[in-house]
Amino acid sequence: MAGSTRTTADGPQAPPLGDPRETRLDRLGIPHVLRWGFLAVIVFMTGNAVETNFVAPHLEQALGSRGAAAATIISAYGLAVLVGSYLAGALSDLLGPHRVMTLGFGVWVVFEVLFLLSLETGNVPAIAATYFVRGFGYPLFAFAFLVWINAVAPRERAGTAVGWFYVMFTGGLPTLGALVAIAAIPAFGGGYGGETGAMWLSIVLVVAGYALTFLVREPHGRRRLVPASESTGSVLGSGVKLAAQEPKVLVGFLVRIINTAPQYGMFVILPGVIGGTLGWSQSQWLLMSSVVYASNIAFNAVFGAIGDRWGWVRTVRWFGVLGSAVGLLLWWYVPHAVEPGSDGGYALSVLAGVVFGVMLAGFVPLGAILPQLTERKGAAMAVYTTAAGGAAFLGAAVVALVRPWGGDAGTVWAFVVLYGIAFVLCHWLRVDQPKDARH
């Protein structure tokens, strides 16, 4: 849309709040100059998510008698996601977000191919190593774009812009990814072979997502975001140093890493429970997952806007933390309380999951909170992206540690305890928010 952005010597940038050249997208909270990047995230994350809801049982089947190693492989993958998420923020400061997105894309595609070839051999070290390295791919791509958003979006709409990022992120992982799996698995013959075919198809989506990034012309993404005077070592270590020196940033990190840990934990627990033990099918579990996280998509931008008006911290504490704890318990206990395998019971179980999906969106303002807790914005984003990716590691780790002695129900309650800790930690989150919203 011509004339929709202001222009500098470096190229187009997002207009400030209230500028008459704002487009409808700008007013909705999506910086118009980044519109293709938002689309790139949802397409890329859809490809990344195709396997999410079946990779645990798929690995167990591939490994046969060594299937117990699947949980360890997935936990190690989560660790790679955590490290990659930290690097996404730090490297974006050094290299520019688009170069980091390119790195994430390359890592994802190369090691996805190697992972799929390794599965054919049944070689456990090769499977573990390739899946681990692939774990660096999606956080480098997605969270580098989140840094780009924070470099461009007007501060007054930062929460809404982050909310739209999570609309796209969650739209792909797991929502559209699960829908692709529902269609692709039977198309490739069903069963284990169908799952393998679906994973090969996911590469096409990831390539398409990356290709869309070249339509983004905003200049911040293709240049270093920190002064040349800052050394590589100081930038790479800035997030760790910041969390150690500023307790409120560490608190924000802990709340964010707890945020979606249960989501990743349920990806491990529920496929075999909903799609097996309780009498429903794999397709029904995949459809349930899509509906639950579609509800999350619908409310990500809503809670971003609520946070901008009602207070970021207040929104996180009461909707994100408390609401998610209630929703998680409903999602676990309602399926066990209804008639196994019944249509009516399935519908009630989906509704229970939707409560969790909606309330999970209450954490969205955290993406706006952390950069406002300190003058060192880039380091704060490195902390935030580390926590966002680290949730995958924490979720898998809680399952691996608690499930052997506490069972599935004990694992769910362990996540509820973590939410209780996050609720208390929110007391120490203080942020100077525009419009004087109370928190």
Side-chain angles (χ1 to χ4, degrees), residues 36 49 109 133 141 170 229 244 293 297 307-308 314 319 381 399 434:
W36 291 109
V109 170
V133 179
F141 183 91
T170 312
S229 58
Y293 290 101
I297 295 168
D308 284 341
R314 182 189 288 171
F319 288 108
M381 283 310 299
V399 173

Side-chain angles (χ1 to χ4, degrees), residues 83-96:
V83 176
S85 300
Y86 179 85
L87 292 174
L91 290 177
S92 291
D93 274 349
L94 288 170
L95 305 175

Side-chain angles (χ1 to χ4, degrees), residues 29 43 367 387 417:
V43 175
V417 170

